[in-house]
């Protein structure tokens, strides 16, 4: 009974953080953790009271990150990314696993791999993720670029298996290499 009352009086963000904490701590690292975190995140996407107005604010200079929570032991971080139309990340990979849920709007992702010589990026796929969609990344092999190609603001929630307060970001490496399309044989 006290758990139900606590849930009813907690903010939507506090409930999300508790659900994510359970998912992270109740699973082993790897695909099982990514799946569990995605399942915990999905029901909260689109909730109108989840983010305060300041956490929904964008920046004309580039996509904006709002750190929402970092676990005391650094086991995971929750960040909101706000994308104005036309904004994008550089091509990058991550320090750890990552789960992304689109809270509002839509995001366009392009995935890559390095060619055999490590000198070019090869496009391996693209997706458009609408509101409510969830995807996970698990290094290695998580090279991608995310963009808001729509006409509305997009907000996504990112859960990283790293302490972003300590590292400053979840990005491990930015790739500034020529891009080639994948060859279909």
């Amino acid at each position: 009974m006290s758990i139900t009352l606590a849930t009813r009086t907690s903010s939507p963000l506090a409930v999300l953080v508790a659900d994510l904490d359970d998912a992270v701590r109740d699973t082993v690292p790897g695909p099982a953790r990514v799946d569990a975190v995605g399942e915990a995140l999905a029901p909260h996407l689109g909730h109108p009271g989840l983010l305060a107005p300041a956490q929904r604010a964008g920046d004309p200079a580039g996509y904006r990150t709002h750190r929402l929570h970092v676990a005391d032991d650094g086991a995971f971080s929750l960040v909101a990314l706000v994308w104005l139309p036309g904004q994008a990340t550089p091509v990058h990979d991550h320090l750890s696993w990552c789960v992304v849920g689109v809270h509002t709007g839509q995001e366009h992702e392009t995935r890559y791999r390095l060619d055999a010589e490590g000198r070019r990026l090869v496009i391996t796929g693209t997706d458009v993720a609408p509101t409510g969609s969830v995807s996970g990344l698990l290094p290695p092999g998580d090279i991608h670029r995310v963009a808001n190609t729509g006409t509305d603001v997009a907000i996504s929630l990112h859960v990283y298996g790293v302490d972003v307060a300590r590292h400053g970001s979840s990005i491990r490496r930015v790739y500034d290499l020529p891009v080639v399309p994948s060859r279909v044989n």
Side-chain angles (χ1 to χ4, degrees):
M1 186 75 150
S2 63
I3 293 173
T4 303
L5 291 175
T7 301
R8 286 186 190 157
T9 60
S10 295
S11 73
L13 183 58
V15 174
L16 169 57
V17 166
D19 289 350
L20 294 172
D21 193 73
D22 288 345
V24 167
R25 298 187 194 287
D26 291 347
T27 56
V28 296
R33 180 164 295 157
V34 170
D35 290 346
V37 169
E39 289 173 14
L41 178 61
H44 299 274
L45 296 173
H47 186 289
L50 185 65
L51 300 176
Q55 295 166 329
R56 302 173 64 86
D59 183 346
Y63 73 93
R64 185 166 183 196
T65 61
H66 298 278
R67 189 179 333 141
L68 304 176
H69 177 80
V70 176
D72 290 342
D73 63 356
F76 73 97
S77 300
L78 173 62
V79 178
L81 273 64
V82 181
W83 316 78
L84 300 180
Q87 293 180 333
T89 66
V91 177
H92 66 282
D93 62 8
H94 294 272
L95 293 167
S96 73
W97 59 266
C98 173
V99 175
V100 178
V102 180
H103 185 59
T104 62
Q106 66 180 23
E107 293 179 354
H108 182 265
E109 178 188 33
T110 304
R111 292 178 303 281
Y112 306 88
R113 66 172 172 77
L114 288 170
D115 69 2
E117 295 81 32
R119 295 186 194 148
R120 297 183 297 175
L121 293 167
V122 179
I123 296 172
T124 62
T126 62
D127 281 313
V128 176
T131 300
S133 62
V134 176
S135 61
L137 302 166
L138 192 61
D142 63 318
I143 303 170
H144 71 152
R145 176 181 184 265
V146 181
N148 178 359
T149 59
T151 57
D152 297 320
V153 172
I155 301 173
S156 52
L157 301 179
H158 298 236
V159 186
Y160 302 112
V162 67
D163 181 338
V164 296
R166 184 170 154 237
H167 293 282
S169 168
S170 70
I171 293 176
R172 178 170 67 114
R173 181 177 25 211
V174 171
Y175 296 84
D176 186 18
L177 298 171
V179 175
V180 296
S182 179
R183 292 189 178 105
V184 178
N185 294 337

